Amino acid sequence: MEVPPRPELFDFHGVSMTKYFTGNWENVQNFKARPDDILIATYPKAGTTWVSYILDLMYFGQTLPERQATVPLNERVPFLEITAPFVKSGKELADTLPTSPRLIKTHLPVQFVPKSFWEQNSRIVYVARNAKDEAVSFFHFDRMNKIEPEPGDWSSYLQRFMEGKMVFGSWYDHVTGWWEKKQSHSKLHYMLYEDLAEDTGREIDRLCSFLGLSLSADEKDRVREKVHFDKMKNDHMNNFSSVKIMDFKISPFMRKGKVGDWKNHFTVAQNEQFDEHYKKKMMKSTLQFRTEI
Ligand code: A3P
């Protein structure tokens, strides 16, 4: 089967989306969450895979090592809303996950999350990343991922990022929407990619206390070592290399894994324009990001 032409973006209840994430909408909205499910929610490219593997190791590193060695991460932690060529339906994978708890990934903005997650009061880990590195990472991802809309050149891509014309909509709305939710929802842990890069061990400790897990110091060290960028990059079960819709010759999924790579992409003029626009968009939010550490 050939990969079909790249999809078009369209407006879906006020959010830019493609058919690959809306095609199974009714079923996704009716997903039956369980109280012990853990939802990993992010805007694309915020460190979803990193945090997914951390949680997977925290829960199952000791008990299910064989599963980790034989089932790729994207099937161990299903992507709830995906329905696309060459990939298994995320909803079906989630429904049939044999683990307990179930770790489930979503990129949905907060208003689109299936209501059963709120009704069941499931725990949610949200990961956010600074907008500049997001834009760069998303650009390279869209170049290599054949089910993403055509990215065009960097400068037009950056404009579209600022306008929110990306799959899953505006980064600004996504991170602030989830941030507002956190103020009233205690089962939501909001983490930042930059904090994780600065001190992975500290963030693992924070996750343990949010999830009520007590890992030994040795177990925590083992998680930290396994999720190091260089380790994950060469780890075929955890680097997306089994996913056919991605062309690693164009750009690998595990690309750079750095805070501040935006400096290699933004021109001085682009940076000034971006900063000015950013201030206006984020004026009302208390959410703060670091663009370097
Ligand atoms: P870059 O493109 O900047 O390298 P997601 O999983 O949400 O799609 O995010 C992918 C981004 O997270 C990529 O960023 C990828 O390299 C980075 N990433 C994944 N695993 C990482 C790790 N262990 N350490 C640091 N960055 C990681």
Side-chain angles (χ1 to χ4, degrees), residues 20-21 24 27-28 31 74-84 87-97 102-106 117:
Y20 296 136
F21 306 106
N24 200 17
N27 286 331
V28 168
F31 180 72
N74 51 298
E75 293 185 21
R76 301 199 307 274
V77 183
F79 183 1
L80 185 61
E81 58 272 20
I82 198 166
T83 172
V87 290
K88 295 183 186 163
S89 147
K91 160 77 166 55
E92 270 167 42
L93 276 174
D95 278 338
T96 53
L97 263 188
R102 302 184 298 185
L103 304 174
I104 299 167
K105 151 184 165 180
T106 185
F117 284 103

Side-chain angles (χ1 to χ4, degrees), residues 42-51 105 107 129 133-134 136-138 140-141 193 197 226-230 232 238 240 252-258 261:
T42 63
Y43 189 75
K45 312 321 291 171
T48 331
T49 313
W50 195 3
V51 171
K105 151 184 165 180
H107 287 319
R129 184 182 194 181
D133 284 329
E134 272 284 351
V136 169
S137 182
F138 213 169
H140 289 293
F141 182 70
Y193 180 99
K226 286 198 168 163
V227 304
H228 189 277
F229 181 81
D230 300 332
M232 277 182 73
N238 297 298
F240 276 76
F253 181 86
M254 301 287 297
R255 193 184 59 89
K256 286 207 177 163
K258 291 261 183 300
D261 186 41

